Amino acid sequence: SFKKSLGQNFLIDQNILNKIVNAAGLDETKGALEIGPGIGALTEKLAQTAKVVTAVEIDQRLLPILEEVLAPYEHVKVRHGDVLKLDLREVFASDFAGVSKVSVVANLPYYVTTPILMRLLEDKLPLENIVVMIQKEVAERMAASPGTKDYGSLSIAVQYYSEPELVCIVPNTVFIPQPNVESAVIRLRVREVPPVEVVDEQHFFEVVHASFAQRRKTISNNLKSRFFTKENRDTLEPLLLQAGIEPSRRGETLSIEEFARLSAVLLEAGIS
Ligand code: SAM
């Protein structure tokens, strides 16, 4: 039986499995980390393509099935546990010591998509790319450009660490059981260096979050509530202009470069 609470929607379509594996660009020199192997359909494809595969599965009931399906592949390791509680640096050091590059490839449990992806990106693991099946709506937010309705702090966080690319939209019929949301495969090419210079990453992301706190409000009003007091609020507009940003604009129109400049100007003025 399937555990809905664990986001168990298993892939049954060979075509889509091949598409996911191909999008990662794996070969016999590379490693793959799979999150949530389920009953091993994707794991087996990865085993046939990569030099080493590590798969992390939380549901103990699936372990005997995985052991049987993956028995022919000595270079596949199944780890039991919650990927969010795993020390990924340790996993990389022990499992992927002998490979040139590593990809994360997964049909993710949708209830933890964002925490999983943000951890993979923020941990700055030596990853080449991340190819994942996720909810279509989340994929669209991750890949969104400034000025569009899907653009928000998730777009900026993902695009700061990677270059997202929608691989394909996926019909519900490729899963058992069928999820009640639409799905898509997205590829995140992990950046070696950020696209802009950011002085203080924590401050940068706080400015981004504050700017989207209330989408209908201007950047000026959103920043006022988070960073300014009665005493210093007169300095906000000049600081925005110094960063080259019209105070009446909304957060959703600002590019990553503009947020980086804004964060730098605020920091320089001692506002954090
Ligand atoms: N890879 C399989 C496939 O494509 O058919 C299964 C994908 S299913 C959408 C998600 C899998 O992730 C399930 O096997 C579920 O038990 C597992 N899972 C859910 N939460 C997890 C977590 N926190 N850590 C590791 N695995 C998890």
Side-chain angles (χ1 to χ4, degrees):
S1 63
F2 305 104
K3 269 208 175 160
K4 249 194 166 167
S5 63
L6 291 179
Q8 293 184 345
N9 301 96
F10 297 146
L11 280 170
I12 49 163
D13 183 294
Q14 293 300 313
N15 238 340
I16 192 72
L17 287 165
N18 289 331
K19 232 181 197 169
I20 294 172
V21 174
N22 289 339
L26 291 165
D27 62 37
E28 60 289 341
T29 68
K30 299 184 183 176
L33 171 65
E34 188 188 6
I35 295 157
I39 54 171
L42 185 57
T43 327
E44 197 169 9
K45 298 266 180 207
L46 293 171
Q48 290 160 359
T49 318
K51 185 176 182 190
V52 285
V53 179
T54 286
V56 184
E57 176 55 59
I58 198 170
D59 187 352
Q60 186 149 25
R61 302 172 313 158
L62 298 171
L63 300 183
I65 306 171
L66 283 168
E67 197 175 319
E68 195 181 314
V69 172
L70 301 170
Y73 308 101
E74 277 176 14
H75 56 300
V76 176
K77 177 170 179 175
V78 175
R79 286 174 177 260
H80 175 223
D82 179 346
V83 70
L84 290 172
K85 294 191 180 140
L86 206 63
D87 180 350
L88 289 170
R89 297 218 147 256
E90 191 271 319
V91 172
F92 270 68
S94 69
D95 296 6
F96 298 122
V99 298
S100 60
K101 282 172 176 164
V102 181
S103 295
V104 169
V105 186
N107 169 19
L108 285 180
Y110 293 172
Y111 76 107
V112 275
T113 298
T114 306
I116 290 176
L117 291 180
M118 287 320 300
R119 253 209 69 200
L120 290 170
L121 294 169
E122 285 167 357
D123 273 8
K124 301 190 176 158
L125 298 161
L127 282 174
E128 181 176 25
N129 57 37
I130 299 173
V131 177
V132 280
M133 174 91 75
I134 59 178
Q135 200 177 326
K136 175 173 162 253
E137 182 222 310
V138 179
E140 285 168 346
R141 286 200 277 132
M142 288 181 172
S145 309
T148 64
K149 72 166 177 22
D150 292 329
Y151 185 69
S153 48
L154 183 64
S155 324
I156 293 167
V158 168
Q159 293 170 30
Y160 179 74
Y161 295 109
S162 74
E163 293 176 84
E165 213 181 319
L166 210 64
V167 176
C168 60
I169 307 284
V170 180
N172 278 355
T173 50
V174 302
F175 302 94
I176 286 185
Q178 297 190 12
N180 39 29
V181 292
E182 288 182 281
S183 302
V185 177
I186 193 169
R187 171 173 49 212
L188 310 178
R189 290 178 198 276
V190 179
R191 294 182 193 274
E192 279 173 22
V193 287
V196 282
E197 202 188 319
V198 165
V199 194
D200 177 339
E201 285 183 356
Q202 197 185 330
H203 184 268
F204 168 76
F205 285 114
E206 275 172 24
V207 170
V208 170
H209 280 287
S211 304
F212 288 102
Q214 295 202 273
R215 287 191 77 99
R216 285 157 189 279
K217 284 195 174 177
T218 61
I219 181 92
S220 175
N221 277 327
N222 270 324
L223 292 178
K224 217 176 266 170
S225 345
R226 164 65 180 79
F227 289 100
F228 289 80
T229 60
K230 254 198 194 110
E231 285 67 47
N232 67 359
R233 93 163 44 131
D234 289 348
T235 62
L236 170 57
E237 293 209 350
L239 288 170
L240 278 167
L241 293 172
Q242 191 189 326
I245 297 158
E246 202 45 60
S248 62
R249 285 172 64 186
R250 291 201 201 156
E252 68 199 54
T253 68
L254 267 67
S255 64
I256 292 194
E257 290 75 15
E258 289 177 308
F259 277 116
R261 224 156 54 217
L262 179 56
S263 164
V265 166
L266 292 177
L267 266 180
E268 213 179 80
I271 290 165
S272 60

